[in-house]
Amino acid sequence: MWVSKENQVYGKKGGKKQIGDKVKEYLQIYFLSGNMDRSQRFSAKDMLQGLEERVEFGELASEELPTIKTIEGWISRFAASHKKSIAQKLLEESQIKING
């Protein structure tokens, strides 16, 4: 679709704020602890509640909190990349055993 020059919009695609590094660390901890013990799995809602507790303890600012929808998206992206990295490590280990 062509847009005339005066109506053209510049800037980042989406333009939404990103999840901060500290929040990502907490989300990874919640996710990985759920992987270690399936009875301890966290939903996006549970993760948000955990992050809200971190705000109460002064570890995070309330402005840093993502929405549930953002957390759900993060979970699906992180799960996919986590599975891929695990598969890659297993493949590398099996190749070492074969070649070793």
Side-chain angles (χ1 to χ4, degrees):
M1 180 175 157
W2 293 93
V3 177
S4 62
K5 218 171 186 74
E6 60 271 358
N7 293 330
Q8 192 170 2
V9 178
Y10 296 98
K12 294 181 183 177
K13 185 176 180 180
K16 297 179 183 176
K17 72 175 189 177
Q18 296 179 350
I19 298 175
D21 291 337
K22 202 169 189 181
V23 173
K24 282 182 189 177
E25 286 179 35
Y26 285 118
L27 292 176
Q28 287 178 359
I29 291 168
Y30 297 143
F31 181 88
L32 294 174
S33 66
N35 264 6
M36 295 290 289
D37 183 3
R38 296 200 185 267
S39 67
Q40 298 287 327
R41 284 221 163 157
F42 286 85
S43 67
K45 187 177 180 179
D46 296 332
M47 289 183 182
L48 182 58
Q49 288 174 344
L51 292 174
E52 288 170 346
E53 289 174 10
R54 301 291 176 195
V55 169
E56 289 175 18
F57 294 129
E59 297 173 23
L60 293 173
S62 60
E63 302 84 44
E64 295 179 89
L65 294 180
T67 63
I68 288 181
K69 192 169 184 101
T70 302
I71 295 173
E72 288 171 346
W74 179 88
I75 290 170
S76 61
R77 287 188 310 277
F78 185 76
S81 68
H82 183 66
K83 284 180 186 177
K84 186 176 180 178
S85 68
I86 294 292
Q88 198 168 21
K89 285 178 186 177
L90 290 172
L91 181 62
E92 288 171 4
E93 288 175 10
S94 65
Q95 288 177 345
I96 290 172
K97 288 179 183 176
I98 292 170
N99 296 330

